[in-house]
């Protein structure tokens, strides 16, 4: 795309960091003919995270929940330039972002100049500094994590199968522990137990009965963002399905075979075979660096933004931040929030482009015409509304083809649980898929799992 529009006005460069829920929702709704659009992300695909917990055991295939950035960019009305790179450092004063290629065959570092930057780099898993987690546990954030969990599970099962039934190592290998009773931990524990009871049970009936799935949560209950009745429903189901629920249990230390946890005054040490850590989010390095450059950015939980999603303390109109990299009271780190923020920005940028065009016209006009255009400019500027989050509710899969849902319809709140809610959960997630292709692939995976069982080969 040329550097200027036909009237001579310069075309602004809009750099979007990330290819997750926030950035891709923005890209999909953006009129890309209005800006020089540049996307920078180390991940060359969008990942539909709500179904990630279903992938380590093969309920849904990884390929079904990804969509290449290139294919999304290709469908945009204007040109989109993509760098397979990560942002290392943002300079808000110079309006540059330093990026570094993640492609080993094509190494480069360069400073990209931007007029507008949208930061959608997401967050990284937090460990709260718990010793041994990075060395011994898996997370569940990216595709590589899901693959690693699958390999560890299958490896533990095969190793255990080669040991005598009374060997204590066998019992340890068959203990799968998930730390963190938020929705990620709960959904993964539920999927693991489904796999053991519904599929592994057919191939290895004795061994499958020795497998223990455990969920450790520091607070008195799991799923704290859900209504109390739904939490009780989920906890009762877990107990009924023999998922070990360790509540009030704060994991303090991990080594390659044991977890050390505090439960009240008691310290417990438990052997494990596979360990997954799901205790929430922490800011990425590039976000921390940006915070350190702006005095008013004093929250350790994420980038502070205003009601128009602009980075607080940055030059006006230059940096926006969306999704999990931000912290704003009332906005949770969910796909739902990031998606709505991305769509909001696409609309706001359309309006802001009209403002830019009018400002250009005014800069080129005679004094008389300028006075005439000024009120129109003020009107247009006021038309950029604040972001308003519309909470539609929360859903979670809790195993055995049951789900819970806290659904908001207008002012009313509905609480649903059970098998029908599972169908609702399925239809909601299908409709949330960002492409028709993903929708079809996920639906086919569910059918395959239902009729033929899970494909758990590594
Ligand atoms: P992300 O989607 O994480 O995307 C961040 C992007 O930035 C990625 O493309 C990443 O590669 C890129 N990036 C990273 N570092 C850099 C860098 N230095 N420079 C440039 N790019 C970078 N939410 C729900 O509402 N419903 C659910 O059911 C749900 N289920 C979930 C299940 C799991 C297992 C997980 C982990 C999360 C789930 N969430 C769910 C939360 C949801 O996924 C996040 O809130 C959402 O992904 C946030 O979107 P984002 O765009 O901010 O970040
Ligand atoms: P979370 O922050 O929601 O939950 C983490 C849990 O880990 C907390 O309950 C915390 O008390 C516990 N914890 C922390 N340290 C611990 C320790 N040392 N030992 C034991 N327990 C410990 O994290 P998440 O589940 O990864 O979710 C992250 C975000 O993604 C949330 O905003 C969540 O709503 C969203 N998400 C939503 C869905 C869904 O809607 N179905 C699914 C997954 C994630």
């Amino acid at each position: 795309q040329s550097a200027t529009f036909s009237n001579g006005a310069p075309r602004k460069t809009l750099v979007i960091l990330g290819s997750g829920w926030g950035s891709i929702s923005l890209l999909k709704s953006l009129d890309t003919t209005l800006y020089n659009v540049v996307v920078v992300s180390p991940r060359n695909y969008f990942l539909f995270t709500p179904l990630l917990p279903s992938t380590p055991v093969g309920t849904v295939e990884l390929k079904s929940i990804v969509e290449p950035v290139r294919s999304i960019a290709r469908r945009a009305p204007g040109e989109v330039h993509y760098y397979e790179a990560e942002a290392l450092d943002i300079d808000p004063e110079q309006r540059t972002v330093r990026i570094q290629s993640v492609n080993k065959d094509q190494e480069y570092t360069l400073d990209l100049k931007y007029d507008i930057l949208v930061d959608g780099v997401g967050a990284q898993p937090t460990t709260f500094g718990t010793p041994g987690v990075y060395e011994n546990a898996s997370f569940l954030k990216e595709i590589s994590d899901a693959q690693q969990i699958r390999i560890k599970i299958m490896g533990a099962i095969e190793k255990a199968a080669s040991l005598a039934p009374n060997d204590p190592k066998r019992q340890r290998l068959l203990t799968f522990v998930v730390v963190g009773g938020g929705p990620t931990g709960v959904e993964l524990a539920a999927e693991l137990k489904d796999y053991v009871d519904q599929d592994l049970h057919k191939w290895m009936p004795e061994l499958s009965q020795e497998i223990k799935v455990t969920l450790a949560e520091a607070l008195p209950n799991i799923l704290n963002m859900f209504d109390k009745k739904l939490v009780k429903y989920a906890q009762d189901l877990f107990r009924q399905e023999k998922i070990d629920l360790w509540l009030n249990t704060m994991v303090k230390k991990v080594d390659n075979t044991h977890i050390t946890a505090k439960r009240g005054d008691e310290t417990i040490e438990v052997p494990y075979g596979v360990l997954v850590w799901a205790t929430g989010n922490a800011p990425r390095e590039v976000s921390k660096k940006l915070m350190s450059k702006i005095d008013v950015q004093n929250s350790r939980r994420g980038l502070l933004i205003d009601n128009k999603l602009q980075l607080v303390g940055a030059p006006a109109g230059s940096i926006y931040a969306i999704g999990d990299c931000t912290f704003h009271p009332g906005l949770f780190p969910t796909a739902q929030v990031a998606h709505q923020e991305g769509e909001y920005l696409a609309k706001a940028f359309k309006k802001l482009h009209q403002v830019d065009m009018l400002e250009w016209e005014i800069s080129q006009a005679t004094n008389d015409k300028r006075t005439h255009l000024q009120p129109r400019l003020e009107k247009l500027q006021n038309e950029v509304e604040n972001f308003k989050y519309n909470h539609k509710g929360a859903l979670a899969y809790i195993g055995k083809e049951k789900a819970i849902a806290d659904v908001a319809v207008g002012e009313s709140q509905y609480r649903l649980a059970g098998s029908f809610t599972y169908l609702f959960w399925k239809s909601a997630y299908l409709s949330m898929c960002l492409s028709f292709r993903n929708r079809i692939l996920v639906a086919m995976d569910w059918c395959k799992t239902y009729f033929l069982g899970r494909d758990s080969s590594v």
Side-chain angles (χ1 to χ4, degrees), residues 212-347:
K212 258 209 263 172
V213 176
T214 300
L215 180 66
E217 166 56 52
L219 297 175
N221 49 269
I222 57 172
L223 295 172
N224 283 293
M225 72 292 292
F226 282 86
D227 175 74
K228 287 206 163 37
K229 279 194 189 130
L230 296 179
V231 170
K232 183 173 178 321
Y233 182 91
Q235 292 187 169
D236 288 348
L237 183 75
F238 267 33
R239 289 196 181 105
Q240 187 187 317
E241 294 304 325
K242 302 206 166 40
I243 294 179
D244 270 358
L245 253 189
W246 297 346
L247 300 176
N248 295 304
T249 307
M250 167 82 94
V251 177
K252 290 286 190 190
K253 199 171 76 180
V254 169
D255 66 23
N256 60 349
T257 50
H258 286 75
I259 291 161
T260 308
K262 267 261 195 234
R263 193 181 289 154
D265 294 335
E266 195 191 354
T267 299
I268 51 173
E269 195 165 287
V270 187
Y272 74 86
V274 178
L275 176 65
V276 182
W277 195 266
T279 62
N281 295 335
R284 290 194 190 277
E285 289 313 310
V286 63
S287 302
K288 286 193 220 161
K289 263 194 208 164
L290 182 56
M291 287 177 206
S292 70
K293 290 181 187 179
I294 301 174
D295 284 348
V296 285
Q297 287 289 335
N298 52 11
S299 163
R300 278 191 292 164
R301 295 167 73 175
L303 298 166
L304 298 173
I305 47 172
D306 68 13
N307 292 337
K308 290 194 166 64
L309 310 186
Q310 297 193 68
L311 187 75
V312 175
S318 64
I319 304 183
Y320 295 78
I322 54 179
D324 284 6
C325 65
T326 66
F327 174 69
H328 191 280
L331 295 178
F332 295 101
T334 64
Q336 205 182 147
V337 169
H339 176 66
Q340 290 184 27
E341 289 179 334
E343 289 196 327
Y344 160 85
L345 275 191
K347 264 199 204 149

Side-chain angles (χ1 to χ4, degrees), residues 31 108 161 200 310 331 378 404 410 413:
D31 183 347
Y108 59 81
L200 195 69
Q310 297 193 68
L331 295 178
E378 277 156 29
I404 54 172
Q413 198 79 21

Side-chain angles (χ1 to χ4, degrees), residues 1-263:
Q1 278 170 169
S2 70
T4 56
F5 291 96
S6 54
N7 63 357
R11 193 188 299 271
K12 283 187 170 174
T13 297
L14 168 62
V15 175
I16 301 171
L17 304 181
S19 54
W21 273 101
S23 302
I24 292 298
S25 302
L26 162 62
L27 187 62
K28 284 199 143 190
S29 307
L30 184 70
D31 183 347
T32 50
T33 61
L34 305 180
Y35 296 92
N36 289 317
V37 181
V38 180
V39 176
V40 178
S41 178
R43 200 174 75 189
N44 63 13
Y45 54 84
F46 165 77
L47 174 63
F48 187 79
T49 47
L51 290 177
L52 192 59
S54 305
T55 59
V57 293
T59 312
V60 169
E61 291 304 322
L62 282 166
K63 288 250 178 296
S64 306
I65 58 166
V66 299
E67 203 186 348
V69 173
R70 296 275 181 200
S71 96
I72 299 164
R74 180 106 183 96
R75 278 178 264 139
E79 212 176 299
V80 175
H81 198 88
Y82 169 63
Y83 287 98
E84 192 179 17
E86 71 177 324
L88 299 180
D89 197 9
I90 298 164
D91 185 335
E93 296 307 322
Q94 297 302 316
R95 298 195 185 202
T96 56
V97 51
R98 173 154 300 172
I99 67 168
Q100 186 174 52
S101 159
V102 291
N103 187 333
K104 295 226 157 32
D105 298 330
Q106 200 199 10
E107 283 178 24
Y108 59 81
T109 303
L110 59 93
D111 289 334
L112 278 182
K113 193 111 190 84
Y114 65 82
D115 296 299
I116 303 170
L117 180 80
V118 177
D119 188 346
V121 297
Q124 59 185 352
T126 181
T127 66
F128 297 109
T130 313
V133 176
Y134 282 114
E135 298 83 349
N136 301 298
S138 299
F139 298 102
L140 184 58
K141 184 91 186 149
E142 299 292 341
I143 281 206
S144 50
D145 299 328
Q147 286 166 327
Q148 191 186 71
I149 296 171
R150 182 187 284 220
I151 291 170
K152 283 187 179 176
I153 290 170
M154 301 312 155
I157 290 172
E158 286 306 334
K159 263 192 237 157
S162 67
L163 298 172
N166 56 358
D167 190 327
K169 197 175 165 200
R170 177 172 163 124
Q171 202 186 342
R172 176 180 72 73
L173 285 167
L174 296 178
T175 303
F176 303 160
V177 180
V178 180
V179 180
T184 303
V186 166
E187 291 188 331
L188 178 67
E191 289 279 357
L192 287 174
K193 189 69 174 132
D194 280 359
Y195 166 68
V196 172
D197 294 349
Q198 295 167 357
D199 294 276
L200 195 69
H201 180 70
K202 289 182 207 149
W203 329 124
M204 302 170 117
E206 285 88 27
L207 182 140
S208 73
Q209 292 195 3
E210 294 172 51
I211 293 182
K212 258 209 263 172
V213 176
T214 300
L215 180 66
E217 166 56 52
L219 297 175
N221 49 269
I222 57 172
L223 295 172
N224 283 293
M225 72 292 292
F226 282 86
D227 175 74
K228 287 206 163 37
K229 279 194 189 130
L230 296 179
V231 170
K232 183 173 178 321
Y233 182 91
Q235 292 187 169
D236 288 348
L237 183 75
F238 267 33
R239 289 196 181 105
Q240 187 187 317
E241 294 304 325
K242 302 206 166 40
I243 294 179
D244 270 358
L245 253 189
W246 297 346
L247 300 176
N248 295 304
T249 307
M250 167 82 94
V251 177
K252 290 286 190 190
K253 199 171 76 180
V254 169
D255 66 23
N256 60 349
T257 50
H258 286 75
I259 291 161
T260 308
K262 267 261 195 234
R263 193 181 289 154

